[in-house]
Amino acid sequence: MTRKDRERMAREELILEHARRLLLSQGFQGFSLDDLAKAIEYSKGTIYLHFQSKEDLALAVATAALKERADLFERAVRFRGKSRERARAIGFACCHFMVAYPEFFSVEMMMKSQSFWEKASEARRQANSMQAGRTFRAMMEVVHAGFESGDLPRDRMAAEHIAIAMASVTVGSHIMSQVPEMRLLAGIDDSILIVRQNQDLLLDGMQWSPLLAEYDYQATDFRIRDEIFPEATWFPGH
Amino acid sequence: MTRKDRERMAREELILEHARRLLLSQGFQGFSLDDLAKAIEYSKGTIYLHFQSKEDLALAVATAALKERADLFERAVRFRGKSRERARAIGFACCHFMVAYPEFFSVEMMMKSQSFWEKASEARRQANSMQAGRTFRAMMEVVHAGFESGDLPRDRMAAEHIAIAMASVTVGSHIMSQVPEMRLLAGIDDSILIVRQNQDLLLDGMQWSPLLAEYDYQATDFRIRDEIFPEATWFPGH
DNA sequence: AAATATATTGACCCTCGGTCATAAAGGTAG
DNA sequence: CTACCTTTATGACCGAGGGTCAATATATTT
């Protein structure tokens, strides 16, 4: 790798850093490439030497964040314990990510919209896809561990559908617990608590042993924090 | 109400109709007020006599749709049966709405961003709030029916949190089952099935009797369709 | 019919994503 | 060091689209 290549990569990092900051503080619509150009002290044209469109840039930012989440998931899966405890560790990882990047969710939501993807480059779409695959595989690993240990009934649902269900309840709970309207109607003060409660309900619904009522999961939470996420500054239920 | 008022209302209806069509077919970013002006055969300025911004207009469209959903929820709650069957009827209503307005979800997603709301008028925000309240109250009614019949344990969760959980799993499942990435990874072909499966898991997790395995809910589905939503052109699991 | 009040318009402004001719910087040969 | 060529960076410019308002058309009153 030549000096040129290294300089180019360093500048791409610089752009991504500032883009991330502006994107999270102003939202996709709110942040302008003129502002970004001013912040990085390069011209707007230079940005386009790295990214083919505003969407392409936003996707790169999102993918970098998704990679961090995938890292957290893979760490979570390494937790030593019962399969449901490992599933719980993934839930912990999700919440940890929520706390660390509270503004990131709106960017991820915006990416669900139709017109977004077709304006991004194929290379960046693939990069995103790869990170999404890592998170999915992490969940699948735990599901299979559940099957093999006999803690999770095999006959009720396909492994993929169980993984989808885990992701769904997490995403949905996060969204609903952030909507001001809902916070008011339901008297929510702690989003994390809602997310984790709903994850518990779902896993109980799958008959994933040991059920919430049969086991001391608070002890598990302490172990997850201490052994896997010592950097966490928060704790479930507090 | 004078003739003027009636003419004004009729024109607002006309604008909303076309705005809805364009919004759903092009997305929020895609649809332009110039196109809308051309479609309704009034000038752009006239649109601004009714709506204070593009966001305000989109919110009005969204609120009209939300009202239809609230209507469906209130019909669902009137289902005569066990409390969990009535909860299931609400789930049915949600899916019915999904099928009837498949494109509406992206509009609703876009509304979750905060920058959206501050550009809409207070009056329209309140109108939306009111419809959201109706859907929430419908869910709460069923939850309380569950408490009172003893089918739903009282001590595990607050009624509001149960309602939030129901909404969360539905929204989350809808989102996840629409993401092309996920459809590929998990081999999904029927979104509705995913949504309903996950709703079932959640209600089972709450110990809302009778549990899925203890009861013939297919018969319930038929009754819901025949008695409450005879206009439905689809059926769960098919 | 004239005067006044109300309703409607579309040319215009501004911001912003995206482009490209031009200029600056970097490299090479004599 | 100079002349020439290649690569890289720039910012003026473009078109699209949201939003405004002085001017115009329509309706109502006197």
Side-chain angles (χ1 to χ4, degrees), chain A residues 159-177:
Chain A
E160 289 82 5
H161 285 197
I162 292 177
I164 281 275
M166 289 166 63
S168 297
V169 79
T170 305
V171 166
S173 303
H174 192 171
I175 291 174
M176 295 307 285
S177 65

Side-chain angles (χ1 to χ4, degrees), chain A residues 198-212:
Chain A
N198 293 348
Q199 287 171 341
D200 283 333
L201 286 179
L202 191 84
L203 301 190
D204 268 11
M206 296 172 183
Q207 292 291 322
W208 196 333
S209 305
L211 298 188
L212 187 64

Side-chain angles (χ1 to χ4, degrees), chain B residues 9-25:
Chain B
M9 275 187 61
R11 194 170 60 186
E12 194 153 317
E13 272 311 307
L14 178 75
I15 297 175
L16 282 173
E17 249 167 61
H18 282 86
R20 172 184 197 138
R21 183 173 51 77
L22 292 171
L23 203 56
L24 293 189
S25 67

